[in-house]
Amino acid sequence: MINYAHRAGIWTGVSSNLHSFCPESGDAVTMIESGLDELICSLHAASQKTFEIYQPGKSFQSAVAKIRSFVQIRDSLGKKRPKVCAHFVVTRFNEHEIPEFRKLAQELRCECAFSTPSLNVRFLSGREPGEARRDSVLKRIEKWLPTDPAYVHPLYLAIRNGQLDIDRLDAFNGRKPFQCVWPWRKTIINWDGTVGPCCGAWNESDSLGDISREPLARVWNNVKYRAARRSFKRPTDVDVPCARCPGILL
């Protein structure tokens, strides 16, 4: 699939936790020769103790060894691509390891990237009503948000401060507190051909079209996709997931 896109002149990237990846088995050579542009390695830690908080039961040293081996194989083939990037989602549990992670990435001869956490509070939706749900959301925010405000998205501060009512999803239709580029610049094609507006819309009812029935170009500009974009500026009566979203994944 990567090579197919590469031959069509499309940039490709893969984000992986590397658990099922084995560089020495030929996986690395296959991936490098496919034309992959970037490999993002999800580590989020600089020690085994911290690594297990996010990825319980997995080996930090094994993941690091795989990155080191992959870079060595790529260089031995005389290739500059894929670019390798070690990824670190900053939380309260790992923020103390940011300096060590920078050093680790340098030692591995790869880039490093830090990002704000998505706490996935949307998965609490429907499990608990009213106050009970809000308490669960606030507990998750307090447990995981880093203390450094540079790595905290304003969305969670607004929820914590009572400025954003997450139980009023209808309030976001036409009135987004945050902006999103997905409906204009990106799309998701699922395994069955259905098309979603972003990686957070996974229900069958969230589908905006189906490329097994019509070309992607037609889906991209159909009634549902236009309604999804419209919901950012004015309310829409079309049932699309964007109408229920504040402009960023909860």
Side-chain angles (χ1 to χ4, degrees):
M1 292 172 65
I2 293 169
N3 184 251
Y4 181 84
H6 175 71
R7 286 185 282 112
I10 299 173
W11 183 95
T12 55
V14 167
S15 179
S16 173
N17 54 31
L18 304 176
H19 297 328
S20 61
F21 181 65
C22 183
E24 292 79 9
S25 71
D27 287 353
V29 173
T30 301
M31 186 176 291
I32 293 165
E33 293 183 342
S34 72
L36 182 68
D37 290 290
E38 182 176 30
L39 174 63
I40 299 174
C41 305
S42 299
L43 289 179
H44 318 302
S47 69
Q48 177 64 32
K49 181 179 179 180
T50 303
F51 188 73
E52 283 199 83
I53 295 174
Y54 198 76
Q55 302 186 67
K58 301 299 182 180
S59 169
F60 173 72
Q61 291 302 327
S62 175
V64 170
K66 290 177 180 180
I67 296 174
R68 182 178 289 108
S69 178
F70 183 87
V71 172
Q72 290 174 348
I73 294 172
R74 181 200 63 188
D75 293 349
S76 69
L77 293 173
K79 303 286 187 179
K80 293 183 178 180
R81 294 280 176 176
K83 177 179 72 176
V84 179
C85 179
H87 191 205
F88 191 104
V89 174
V90 183
T91 69
R92 186 165 301 189
F93 295 100
N94 65 10
E95 60 183 329
H96 64 286
E97 292 189 344
I98 290 177
E100 288 77 10
F101 192 79
R102 293 186 191 276
K103 294 178 182 177
L104 174 64
Q106 185 176 20
E107 188 267 322
L108 292 172
R109 293 185 290 119
C110 65
E111 298 183 6
C112 63
F114 300 89
S115 61
T116 58
S118 174
L119 303 184
N120 297 324
V121 298
R122 64 189 183 281
F123 291 124
L124 299 175
S125 177
R127 295 183 184 178
E128 300 170 325
E131 291 295 329
R133 177 171 179 262
R134 282 193 288 275
D135 287 344
S136 295
V137 171
L138 291 174
K139 286 179 181 178
R140 183 171 292 189
I141 287 175
E142 292 303 321
K143 179 180 179 179
W144 285 93
L145 277 190
T147 57
D148 187 343
Y151 298 107
V152 177
H153 194 281
L155 167 74
Y156 297 115
L157 295 179
I159 294 175
R160 186 173 63 184
N161 298 335
Q163 299 168 326
L164 185 64
D165 187 355
I166 58 174
D167 288 323
R168 285 289 313 281
L169 296 180
D170 59 310
F172 304 134
N173 189 0
R175 295 173 293 275
K176 305 286 188 222
F178 302 99
Q179 294 304 306
C180 171
V181 302
W182 274 88
W184 290 270
R185 298 185 182 180
K186 304 178 182 181
T187 194
I188 291 290
I189 300 176
N190 298 310
W191 65 272
D192 59 354
T194 55
V195 179
C198 77
C199 56
W202 63 88
N203 291 322
E204 186 177 354
S205 59
D206 293 335
S207 174
L208 301 182
D210 188 336
I211 62 168
S212 67
R213 298 181 179 180
E214 57 182 344
L216 178 60
R218 190 174 299 169
V219 174
W220 181 251
N221 202 36
N222 65 15
V223 172
K224 284 193 171 183
Y225 237 120
R226 293 201 305 272
R229 299 180 185 109
R230 189 181 305 119
S231 70
F232 280 75
K233 296 299 181 183
R234 60 184 186 274
T236 176
D237 294 329
V238 181
D239 184 21
V240 288
C242 294
R244 304 183 295 273
C245 177
I248 187 174
L249 287 178
L250 285 169

